[in-house]
């Protein structure tokens, strides 16, 4: 099976409805590499603590499993899907239970069991269970199935009444003995290790009728005799023994709820007496084997214990954690603590059930403890169903196998563990296409791998359950659990491999998981003219400037009477100035946010209904147009270019002017002409500033709105295509020659992957999804001028079968010429990868015409809105676009993920890095002509998934810095590579320009201050010089008085 997620991708929770009051919530925690140093330190400290605790494996420390780090990163690699291999000697196996698959319950001298009696007494269709898969007859077919899988062991159970019809050890039934000898010999011949269970619930009926079954201690000795016989006869070839399979279910459902044989119910004392005797029976058999047979047979013996897992409502609530611990002790601890612990029951069990719970003597405690050579663990649906019979203690059931393995390690001093039963179920109508079972298996096995690699848990083998479809206890044949499908009504009972068998075979061959969908990380950069952008949805325009103080000539007094109001002063007029773009406060905010993003391009959408409220040119809102022009021009001052979207509809807001909505919107062809006129107006008013245009955003998603019938959906889409083409033609003929811009439309382009790659129907469904989702709009524009032939043919075939009355419109020859080639680049919005299933549907709706359903891969990292993080899907869709539509320019006009965090949005950080890495691979390796990448989106909206880099109140998140780094590096350059784009001079110019544009008021004030200073300095200097002259003149007159007239100077 192909890998479902990128390396390190994780699961989210998967929720199933249950028959009880609550839902079963199956959590798979997702953690990836952290990108914030402070968070990393906390996580390292936390996991260092956990590592120390888990390595030491101190007994009784299980409750620490639930103590989570509240600041734990959602993308920490230690708990995400792990691509790695298991240890070299890891054992891969499969299991069955004798009563479930052998059939032939009355043949060849077999005696009746309590289940034979229970089924024929309590089940309506008892006759149908007599043969089941009939492994007793078709042993060769079972062996062929084992060969097909390539397993290293086969876990099966011996039918006690087939060997000894009355249960008492006397002369063995020869034919039964021959069957088991043949089975074991055949396994050994194939190098398949037999793991043999002595008791899988089919107690001889005679022992139930004579002694009351496991309620009577006498059965302990009889069971030991039966075990002794098996050790003597089969022990030379069997090295692994299981005494009893899941004694909890034997006691609880056999003698408590009455759901299992012998069907007794309501006697709580009997339940714990049976459990007590089962523990003593196991211990006796273990000592028997240990003393008499182990010395020369060299085998191992244990008991398979089954359990659920449970998570607290609040991981920081000690009371909830204690309840979880109590829940585990009441189920798994009931049997595990005496055998793998100190020989006695859990204290919680003894305190709560002291009246019903038998006591062990000190001698018995010493005799029982340590009577297991490994911990055999069962984790499957029988441990979870029905949920109303479980001791949930008000907490949440969970399928996190890794967590329960950690609990076992901490509670019971790190035992060696064999997963003795694991798997899930499908409904009875499912034959070989058991897709859900694949994903459950993938999740379970990867949790085991994580436990081995990260938690150092000693798991040495895994048993997939089960080999064949068979009788599923209280569910009879209403569910299936086999890797091989069996038609119970057929005579030959052929074993047909399901997709889960193919997947398990692949895991065994590879001994783990390999990432096949993505190449190694690439170091490189995008071209120098690459557009790094950010996308916003519709930009709501201000109709009136938010800061009119420079435009209003009136003078106001505030709060004269203490009412907080402004009062105009009559008769006073002030000088005003012309309106400026910065009078709009929202523009200032946008500029501030974009400046922090450091992008080169900003994509936003106009509001058609605001610009043309009547839907036509009779009323043009010039103020709104001026607002948008202001946005674009102010962005240019920051060296940010605009990509403008003319029409941005959503399922919640269609975005059409009111009059057009009243005339049925896109179902009315007149809307096409209205859009053409609107587009022409925008090109005329804004085109000198805009070089990249998107006519319509995601027209292929308007099926969410026009969904009353498929014909409405297709007609609306038809008109949208014509409208786009007309807008493109107008730009091409009237504006391109002097505006030099480019025009296209943005298509929602998620990738589709077959959920089950082993079935051709899923592969076809994935391609069909792409045809109905993308090619529906892309083929007419980029390829043929008409809808995809595959789409039209599929709809026609459904019409012929009477499954649909849908009609896909036809283009006229003139419309084909109009539409074909009406785009200058391919613009795609990509968010995730969809895992698709073929599912035939009857009805005339667009979604039904596709015959596609979606499956959530529980092993993938997912966002709060359940968008799977599958980075390689981005590269695949880009390659598909190039392959399908040729070597065209591509702009990724929206790509992003929702993240719950209001500050440290680590999921978005991870998403950005991984997805842009795949874009880089598509550019360099696949030679896709990618011209730009626009992250989605600038700001989040209240009460909606948090896609924004900024919160709704404009608070920045950590992902801004990650995106800044991507932009400044222009990709992922090598550590010592030189910058290919020598833009130092341009950057210096840009920096100076930015400074001038941003600091105009400060510069003006500084100039004024400097001029005043110069003027004052000049005046001071002038006056100083004047005074100096006067002073000199006075001194000269004093030293040299003037000569009197008539006198002559006498010189000596």
């Amino acid at each position: 099976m192909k890998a479902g997620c990128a390396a390190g991708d994780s699961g989210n929770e998967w929720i199933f409805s249950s028959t009880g009051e609550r839902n079963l919530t199956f959590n798979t925690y997702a953690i990836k590499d952290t990108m914030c140093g402070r968070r990393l330190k906390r996580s390292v400290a936390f996991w260092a603590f956990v590592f120390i605790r888990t390595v030491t494996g101190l007994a009784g420390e299980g409750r620490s499993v639930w103590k989570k780090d509240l600041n734990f990163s959602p993308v920490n690699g230690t708990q995400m899907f792990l691509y790695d291999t298991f240890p070299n000697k890891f054992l891969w196996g499969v299991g069955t239970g004798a009563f479930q698959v052998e059939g032939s319950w009355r043949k060849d001298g077999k005696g009746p069991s309590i289940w034979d009696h229970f089924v024929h007494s309590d089940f309506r269709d008892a006759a149908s269970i007599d043969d089941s898969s009939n492994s007793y007859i078709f042993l060769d077919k079972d062996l062929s199935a084992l060969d097909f899988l390539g397993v290293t062991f086969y876990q099966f159970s011996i039918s006690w009444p087939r060997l000894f019809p009355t249960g008492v050890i006397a002369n063995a039934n020869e034919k039964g003995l021959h069957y088991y000898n043949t089975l074991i010999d055949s396994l050994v011949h194939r190098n398949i290790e037999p793991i043999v269970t002595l008791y899988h619930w089919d107690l001889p009926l005679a022992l139930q009728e004579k002694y009351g079954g496991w309620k009577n201690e006498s059965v302990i000795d009889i069971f030991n005799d039966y075990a002794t016989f098996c050790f003597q006869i089969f022990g030379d070839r069997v090295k692994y023994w299981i005494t009893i399979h899941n004694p909890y279910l034997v006691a609880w459902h056999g003698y408590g709820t009455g759901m299992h044989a012998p069907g007794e119910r309501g006697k709580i004392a009997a339940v714990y007496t049976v459990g007590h005797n089962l523990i003593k029976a196991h211990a006796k058999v273990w000592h028997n084997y240990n003393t008499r047979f182990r010395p020369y047979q060299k085998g191992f013996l244990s008991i398979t214990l089954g359990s659920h897992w449970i998570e607290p409502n609040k991981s920081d609530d000690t009371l909830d954690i204690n309840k979880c611990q109590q829940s585990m002790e009441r189920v798994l601890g009931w049997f595990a603590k005496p055998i793998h612990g100190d020989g006695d029951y859990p204290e919680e069990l003894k305190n709560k059930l002291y009246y019903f719970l038998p006591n062990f003597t000190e001698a018995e405690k010493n005799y029982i403890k340590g009577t297991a050579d490994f911990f055999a663990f069962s984790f499957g649906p029988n441990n979870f169903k029905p949920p109303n019979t479980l001791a949930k203690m008000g907490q949440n059931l969970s399928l996190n196998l890794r967590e329960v393995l950690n609990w076992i390690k901490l509670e019971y001093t790190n035992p060696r563990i064999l997963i003795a039963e694991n798997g899930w179920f499908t409904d009875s109508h499912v034959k070989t296409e058991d897709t859900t079972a694949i994903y459950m298996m993938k999740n379970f096995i990867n949790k085991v791998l994580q436990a081995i690699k990260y938690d150092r848990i000693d798991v040495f083998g895994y048993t997939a359950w089960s080999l064949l479809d068979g009788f599923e206890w209280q569910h009879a044949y209403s569910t299936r659990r086999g890797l091989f499908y069996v038609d119970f009504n057929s005579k030959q009972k052929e074993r047909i491999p399901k997709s889960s068998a193919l997947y398990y075979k692949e895991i065994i061959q590879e001994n783990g998981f390999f990432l096949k969908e993505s190449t190694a990380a690439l170091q490189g950069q995008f071209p120098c003219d690459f557009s790094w952008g950010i996308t916003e949805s519709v930009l709501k325009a201000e109709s009136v400037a938010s800061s009119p103080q420079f435009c209003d000539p009136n003078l106001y007094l505030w709060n004269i009477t203490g009412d907080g109001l402004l009062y105009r002063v009559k008769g006073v007029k002030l000088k005003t100035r012309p309106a400026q773009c910065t009078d709009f406060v929202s523009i200032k905010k946008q500029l501030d946010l974009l400046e922090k993003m450091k992008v080169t391009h900003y994509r936003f959408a106009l509001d058609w209904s605001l610009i043309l409220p009547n839907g036509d040119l009779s009323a043009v809102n010039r103020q709104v147009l001026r607002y948008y022009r202001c946005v674009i021009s102010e962005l240019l001052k920051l060296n940010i270019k605009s990509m403008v979207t003319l029409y941005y509809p959503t399922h919640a807001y269609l975005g059409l002017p009111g009059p057009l909505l009243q005339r049925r919107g896109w179902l009315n062809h007149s809307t096409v002409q209205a859009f053409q006129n609107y587009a022409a107006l925008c090109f005329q008013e804004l085109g000198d500033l805009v070089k990249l245009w998107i006519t319509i955003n995601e027209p292929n998603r308007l099926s969410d709105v026009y969904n009353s019938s498929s014909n409405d959906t297709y007609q609306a889409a038809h008109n949208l295509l014509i409208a786009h083409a007309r807008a493109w033609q107008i730009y091409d003929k009237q504006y391109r020659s002097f505006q030099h811009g480019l025009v296209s439309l943005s298509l929602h382009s998620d990738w589709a992957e077959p959920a089950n790659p082993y079935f051709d129907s899923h592969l076809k469904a994935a391609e069909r999804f792409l045809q109905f989702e993308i090619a529906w709009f892309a083929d007419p524009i980029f390829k043929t001028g008409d809808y995809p032939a595959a789409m039209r043919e599929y709809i026609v075939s459904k019409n012929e079968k009477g499954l649909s009355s849908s009609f896909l419109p036809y283009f006229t020859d003139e419309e084909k010429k109009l539409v074909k080639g009406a785009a200058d680049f391919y613009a795609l919005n990509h968010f995730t990868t969809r895992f698709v299933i073929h599912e035939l549907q009857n009805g005339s709706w667009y979604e039904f015409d596709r015959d596609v359903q979606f499956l959530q891969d529980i092993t993938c990292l997912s966002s709060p809105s359940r968008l799977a993080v599958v980075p390689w899907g981005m590269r695949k869709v880009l390659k598909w676009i190039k392959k399908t539509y040729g070597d065209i320019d591509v702009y990724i006009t929206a790509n992003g993920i929702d993240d719950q965090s209001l500050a440290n949005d680590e999921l978005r950080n991870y998403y950005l890095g991984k997805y842009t890495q795949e874009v880089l691979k598509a550019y360099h390796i696949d030679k896709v002509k990618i011209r730009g990448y626009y992250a989605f989106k600038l700001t989040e909206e209240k009460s909606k998934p948090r896609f924004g880099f900024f919160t709704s109140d404009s608070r920045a998140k950590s992902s801004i810095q990650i995106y800044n780094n991507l932009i400044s590096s222009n990709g992922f350059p090598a550590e010592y590579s030189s910058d290919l784009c020598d833009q130092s001079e341009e950057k210096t110019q840009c920096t100076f320009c930015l400074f001038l544009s941003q600091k105009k008021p400060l510069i003006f004030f500084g100039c004024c201050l400097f001029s005043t200073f110069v003027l004052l300095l000049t005046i001071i200097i002038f006056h100083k010089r004047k005074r100096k002259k006067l002073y000199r003149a006075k001194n000269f007159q004093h030293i040299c008085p003037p000569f009197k007239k008539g006198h002559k100077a006498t010189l000596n």
Side-chain angles (χ1 to χ4, degrees), residues 853-910:
Q853 285 293 336
F854 304 109
L855 182 143
Q856 186 82 23
D857 184 352
I858 60 173
T859 66
C860 274
L861 174 67
S862 297
S863 74
S865 66
R866 305 191 69 74
L867 289 178
V869 180
V870 190
W872 49 258
M874 168 69 90
R875 182 180 174 191
K876 281 198 169 188
V877 77
L878 290 169
K879 288 171 68 176
W880 184 85
I881 290 167
K882 179 181 179 181
K883 178 183 176 182
T884 309
Y885 303 115
D887 198 22
I888 58 176
D889 288 349
V890 175
Y891 282 84
I892 299 162
T893 48
N895 178 237
I897 193 83
D898 57 306
D899 189 321
Q900 277 299 108
S901 176
L902 294 171
N904 191 16
D905 50 343
E906 293 172 293
L907 177 59
R908 183 172 294 106
N909 293 340
Y910 178 87

Side-chain angles (χ1 to χ4, degrees), residues 698 700-701 746-750 773-774 828-829 831 834:
E698 297 189 353
N700 53 339
R701 281 300 174 96
S746 283
L747 296 178
H748 193 106
S749 303
D750 285 341
E773 181 84 356
I774 302 175
L828 71 147
N829 298 346
F831 299 93
R834 314 292 292 273

Side-chain angles (χ1 to χ4, degrees), residues 122-181:
D122 289 39
F123 285 64
R124 293 180 181 177
D125 195 14
S128 66
I129 65 99
D130 290 351
D131 289 328
S132 185
S133 306
N134 219 340
S135 290
Y136 183 74
I137 301 297
F138 298 113
L139 174 59
D140 288 343
K141 295 181 180 181
D142 287 359
L143 295 170
S144 296
L146 293 170
D147 290 338
F148 176 85
L149 291 173
V151 293
T152 51
F153 72 85
Y154 177 42
Q155 183 184 163
F156 65 92
S157 71
I158 293 174
S159 173
W160 188 350
R162 191 177 294 282
L163 282 183
F164 301 102
T166 64
V168 178
I169 311 309
N171 293 325
N173 177 10
E174 287 298 327
K175 290 187 177 181
L177 186 61
H178 175 73
Y179 169 73
Y180 291 115
N181 269 318

